Amino acid sequence: MATDEDRQKTGLLSEIRPQDPFNVVRGEVQTAIQGMMTLYDQWKLLLEESPTSMDYQTTTKDLTDAARNIEWDLQDLEDSVGVVEANRHKFTIDATELAARKDFIVKSREALVKVQQDLNSPETALKLQTDSRAALMKKREAPAATNRFAKLEKQIEENNQEFINNQVQAQEQIKQEQDKNLDRLHSTVKTIDAMGRVMSDELATQDKLITQLGDEVDKTDGKIQSAVKRVNELIDKTNDSKLMIIIVVLVVVLVGIVVGIIFI
C-alpha cells in the first residue's frame, strides 16, 4: 500500500514531468494568431484611410512579421505530426488526438492564408500606388513658397515610394509561398480523410467479427442445452451408477470439444 511519502514523490514527479511540445507550441500559435488578427483589423482600417501614412507602413511590417513567424510555427507542428505518424509505436497518441492536431493546423493555416492573400493582393498594391501618385501630384501642384519643409516631405515621399516598390517586388515570392501552403493544406485534408476511412473500415470489420462470435456462442449454447437434456433423460431412466459415470464423462468430453471448436 502506498505511503504518504510515496504519494508526495508521485505528485512531485507529475509536476516536473515535461509538457507535450505540441501543446506548448499550439498555445503560442493561438496567442500569435489572436495578435495577428488584431493587427489585421488595424491594417484594414489604415488601408482605407491613408495607406501611405507611416502608421500604415509600420502596421504592415508588423503584420507581415507576425504572419511569417506563425508560418514557421505551423511548419514545426506539421513536422511533429509527421514524426508521430511515421513512428506510431513510439508514441502514446491515439488516432483521435492525432486528427485533432491536424485539424488545428488546418484551421490555423486557413486564417494565415487569408491575411497573406490580403496583404499581397493586386488590389492592395494598386491602391498603394494610386494613393502615392495622388499625394505626389497634390504636393507638386502646391505653391513652392508655402512649402517650408519641401526637403523633408520629398524624403518622406521617396521613402513611401520605396516601400511600395518593395511590396510589389515581394508579391511574386509570397505568392509562391502561398501556393506551397495551399498544397500542404490540401495534403493535410486528404490525410485526415484517409484516416477517417480507415477507422470506419476497422470499426465495420470489428462489428462483423463480434456478430459472428455471438452467433457461434448461441449455437454452442443450444447444443450444450440439448446434450444436458438428453443426459437428464437417461439419468431418469436408469439407476445404474456405472452408467451414470459414463454419461457424465461423455458430456464433459462433448463440452470440451465444442468449446475447442469455438476458440480455434
Side-chain angles (χ1 to χ4, degrees), residues 3-17:
T3 63
D4 292 339
E5 183 178 357
D6 293 335
R7 295 191 185 95
Q8 291 177 357
K9 290 181 179 179
T10 302
L12 290 174
L13 289 175
S14 63
E15 290 178 0
I16 65 175
R17 184 176 299 160

Side-chain angles (χ1 to χ4, degrees), residues 1 56 73 82 101 103 107 117 122 136 153 155 196 202-203 210 217-218 239:
M1 184 174 181
Y56 173 81
D73 288 340
R101 296 186 176 192
D103 183 63
K107 292 181 179 178
Q117 287 177 341
L136 288 173
E153 291 178 352
Q155 183 63 44
E202 182 66 22
L203 290 175
I210 292 173
V217 171
D218 292 339
N239 292 323

Side-chain angles (χ1 to χ4, degrees), residues 147-180:
N147 191 351
R148 300 176 56 188
F149 304 99
K151 186 176 181 179
L152 177 60
E153 291 178 352
K154 182 179 180 181
Q155 183 63 44
I156 293 175
E157 292 170 3
E158 291 176 353
N159 290 340
N160 288 339
Q161 188 61 41
E162 181 181 1
F163 171 78
I164 293 171
N165 292 337
N166 290 336
Q167 288 291 314
V168 173
Q169 291 175 0
Q171 281 186 11
E172 187 61 31
Q173 180 180 356
I174 296 178
K175 286 181 181 178
Q176 293 177 359
E177 292 179 359
Q178 289 178 356
D179 290 339
K180 293 180 181 178

Side-chain angles (χ1 to χ4, degrees), residues 22-151:
F22 185 95
N23 292 329
V24 175
V25 178
R26 173 165 51 188
E28 295 175 354
V29 170
Q30 288 174 332
T31 301
I33 288 178
Q34 291 176 356
M36 181 185 69
M37 297 310 296
T38 300
L39 281 173
Y40 177 61
D41 292 337
Q42 297 174 357
W43 177 83
K44 287 192 296 185
L45 291 175
L46 290 170
L47 178 64
E48 293 297 328
E49 295 175 358
S50 179
T52 57
S53 68
M54 292 300 296
D55 288 340
Y56 173 81
Q57 295 181 31
T58 301
T59 304
T60 300
K61 183 179 182 305
D62 293 342
L63 183 58
T64 302
D65 292 343
R68 184 183 302 111
N69 291 335
I70 291 173
E71 171 62 31
W72 291 339
D73 288 340
L74 289 178
Q75 184 59 51
D76 291 341
L77 292 180
E78 286 179 342
D79 292 342
S80 69
V81 170
V83 171
V84 172
E85 284 186 312
N87 304 274
R88 293 298 300 275
H89 62 284
K90 294 183 180 179
F91 299 92
T92 57
I93 298 177
D94 57 23
T96 301
E97 172 62 18
L98 192 61
R101 296 186 176 192
K102 290 184 176 181
D103 183 63
F104 170 78
I105 294 173
V106 170
K107 292 181 179 178
S108 299
R109 192 172 292 284
E110 287 176 353
L112 175 63
V113 169
K114 168 62 178 173
V115 172
Q116 290 176 329
Q117 287 177 341
D118 287 350
L119 269 173
N120 302 283
S121 67
E123 292 80 4
T124 300
L126 179 61
K127 183 168 179 57
L128 286 172
Q129 292 176 352
T130 301
D131 290 349
S132 179
R133 289 171 184 170
L136 288 173
M137 292 298 297
K138 183 177 180 180
K139 292 182 182 298
R140 287 175 181 175
E141 293 172 356
T146 60
N147 191 351
R148 300 176 56 188
F149 304 99
K151 186 176 181 179

